[in-house]
Amino acid sequence: MWRAVIVSAFFLWSCNPKAQDSPAADELKVEFSLPKKLKEVSGIALSQDKKTLWAIEDQGNKNVVYGLNLQGGLTADVLVENAENHDWEDITADAQGNLYIGDFGNNDNDRQDLSILKIDLNDAAQKSTRVIQETKFHYEGQTEFPPKKSNWLYDCEAFVEMNGNFYLFTKNRSKGFDGTFLVFKVPNQPGDFQAELIGKLKLKGGYSDAAITSAAINRTKDKIVLLNHKNIQVLTGFNADDFSKAEIHPVSLNHNSQKEAVVFLDDRTLLIADEKDKKTGGNVYGFNF
């Protein structure tokens, strides 16, 4: 039985001994360890049938999407034939189950070849896939490559797809980190676009508390979760064209590791993956919130 599933009715929960094995709210539980070959997972997405967890790795790794079952078994190594892994930092799905890879890692804030890649992948038995749409973009407001280190706000490791648009949440690498991040909107279309700035927000705490490493959106599209090494940040009250008044609800994970990937399993349950670091990490966790 999948341990991270929440039984929402208290009566059923109290009468079902199996349900009591589920973690309590706000408790991070290891669901499984990642295969040894996946040491630098940077993004995860769930297949439409919720049977396959798709995972990617970042810069320096292969242009491959890996399929895992929900017990952690490696079921697929899918080569993306016509793409290079410049710095794949997140993977997301739209409401129809189409998959998109964010090739927008930009540690030094100097890249001018940022893109989002739609891939033809809907079967865990596939051996290879191809990019069938490329969305290139540049950030509104960035005129220097790189800008001054006090304004390194143009790295990105987190995005979601919502109603025909991509929403990107940048990772602050500025000197004098203060938790500020930017929200950009890009149309889910082929072409070359200026990413529209639709929000400038701030998270509390230091780098491990507030640097954004992944994002996920729920089924009803009224909650977006941003991942940090120590926390999640739950965004509500946003609209399609304006995130400036979004409410931010921080939730501590009570755990510190290099967490790089998050996805909704259901409306109240997250799966979170972290990178392998010596003897720690390299796991997928369930988190009920």
Side-chain angles (χ1 to χ4, degrees), residues 22-280:
S22 297
D26 296 351
E27 184 179 354
L28 195 70
K29 290 289 188 180
V30 175
E31 296 298 338
F32 56 81
S33 293
L34 290 162
K36 290 182 178 180
K37 68 189 301 181
L38 295 180
K39 295 181 180 179
E40 295 184 318
V41 168
S42 59
I44 54 176
L46 202 59
S47 64
Q48 191 81 334
D49 62 9
K50 295 191 175 184
K51 293 181 179 180
T52 302
L53 190 67
W54 297 111
I56 58 170
E57 295 186 292
D58 56 14
Q59 185 178 26
N61 292 287
K62 296 178 180 179
N63 50 316
V64 170
V65 181
Y66 299 91
L68 305 169
N69 61 32
L70 296 189
Q71 291 74 47
L74 186 64
T75 59
D77 289 50
V78 184
L79 178 69
V80 185
E81 293 179 337
N82 57 337
E84 183 178 347
N85 186 344
H86 298 286
D87 196 358
W88 293 0
E89 285 291 357
D90 207 0
I91 184 170
T92 196
D94 63 20
Q96 291 73 44
N98 298 303
L99 291 172
Y100 304 86
I101 297 170
D103 189 357
F104 42 47
N106 190 18
N107 289 5
D108 296 327
N109 281 238
D110 59 354
R111 279 187 65 182
Q112 297 186 61
D113 59 349
L114 306 171
S115 65
I116 296 168
L117 311 174
K118 181 180 181 180
I119 55 175
D120 182 18
L121 178 55
N122 51 31
D123 186 348
Q126 286 181 231
K127 300 298 183 184
S128 64
T129 186
R130 296 184 64 81
V131 174
I132 56 175
Q133 174 182 297
E134 183 174 12
T135 304
K136 300 178 181 179
F137 67 92
H138 59 280
Y139 292 113
E140 178 183 354
Q142 183 176 12
T143 57
E144 298 177 295
F145 300 88
K148 294 179 180 179
K149 287 192 175 181
S150 59
N151 193 38
W152 277 28
L153 295 172
Y154 300 101
D155 184 21
C156 186
E157 298 186 4
F159 79 133
V160 299
E161 203 279 349
M162 180 173 67
N163 300 331
N165 292 289
F166 300 114
Y167 293 85
L168 285 67
F169 307 89
T170 68
K171 184 175 187 178
N172 188 332
R173 292 186 178 274
S174 299
K175 183 179 179 181
F177 179 91
D178 67 354
T180 297
F181 69 97
L182 307 178
V183 185
F184 290 94
K185 176 182 173 183
V186 181
N188 181 358
Q189 299 174 19
D192 194 343
F193 302 94
Q194 175 173 275
E196 179 186 359
L197 180 63
I198 60 169
K200 184 176 183 179
L201 300 161
K202 183 180 288 190
L203 304 179
K204 296 180 180 179
Y207 187 85
S208 293
D209 302 289
I212 298 168
T213 60
S214 186
I217 189 167
N218 67 344
R219 178 182 54 83
T220 53
K221 302 185 188 304
D222 60 354
K223 290 186 180 69
I224 292 174
V225 165
L226 306 179
L227 181 66
N228 317 127
H229 289 179
K230 291 183 177 181
N231 308 313
I232 59 169
Q233 313 283 342
V234 184
L235 268 59
T236 58
F238 51 84
N239 65 57
D241 300 312
D242 185 8
F243 273 66
S244 62
K245 296 180 181 178
E247 296 182 14
I248 302 173
H249 308 273
V251 180
S252 175
L253 297 172
N254 297 309
H255 183 273
N256 185 17
S257 67
Q258 193 169 337
K259 298 175 184 69
E260 296 283 343
V262 64
V263 69
F264 276 90
L265 177 64
D266 58 44
D267 282 343
R268 292 186 62 189
T269 310
L270 300 174
L271 298 180
I272 296 170
D274 57 7
E275 290 192 7
K276 182 73 174 175
D277 180 17
K278 296 181 180 180
K279 294 183 179 180
T280 63

